[in-house]
Amino acid sequence: MNESRLGEFEEVILLLVGILGEQAYAFNIAQEFESQTKKSTAIGAVHSTLSRLADKGFLTSAMGGATTERGGRRKRIYSITAEGEQVLANARELRLSLWNQYPKFSEGTLSFHF
């Protein structure tokens, strides 16, 4: 594994691959990103991030079967590797640790005024 840290976008994309399972292909990942985050993303950004995550050893991919809805073209389906699961677990642990150290959250005194 070359890099053990994830950027925020990488982390979200990796999580979405896990959430989508056998439906984790670039277009579907981009749609789910927009649905979950309420932010738009370019398909090119998703493709380059998937490629980078695969280069880091966090994802593998395989070609799915051809479908008539795609004009006979096949989809590249992504899966999280054991290294990818470990890096996600590490990221989650770090974030939770930091959130738990933030006094207003740990004491339950945070309030929002809009």
Side-chain angles (χ1 to χ4, degrees):
M1 173 170 33
N2 298 334
E3 177 66 46
S4 61
R5 290 177 290 147
L6 295 170
E8 181 182 6
F9 189 70
E10 289 178 322
E11 184 177 343
V12 172
I13 295 297
L14 195 55
L15 283 165
L16 290 173
V17 169
I19 290 166
L20 292 170
E22 293 181 8
Q23 296 301 311
Y25 53 92
F27 182 76
N28 210 23
I29 293 166
Q31 283 187 316
E32 190 66 19
F33 176 88
E34 292 183 6
S35 173
Q36 294 274 358
T37 66
K38 308 298 185 234
K39 296 178 184 177
S40 63
T41 187
I43 192 70
V46 173
H47 276 290
S48 63
T49 301
L50 290 167
S51 179
R52 189 169 54 254
L53 290 168
D55 289 346
K56 291 180 178 183
F58 302 152
L59 291 176
T60 59
S61 67
M63 295 304 290
T67 61
T68 56
E69 68 209 23
R70 292 176 46 87
R73 294 186 328 224
R74 298 166 62 189
K75 300 174 190 171
R76 180 168 297 280
I77 309 297
Y78 291 87
S79 301
I80 299 178
T81 64
E83 288 177 301
E85 288 176 344
Q86 185 61 56
V87 79
L88 278 176
N90 293 347
R92 181 177 186 273
E93 186 177 307
L94 172 63
R95 287 181 188 260
L96 287 175
S97 172
L98 292 171
W99 281 108
N100 289 333
Q101 293 175 61
Y102 185 57
K104 289 183 179 182
F105 279 103
S106 62
E107 297 165 3
T109 60
L110 183 68
S111 61
F112 297 96
H113 303 283
F114 296 100

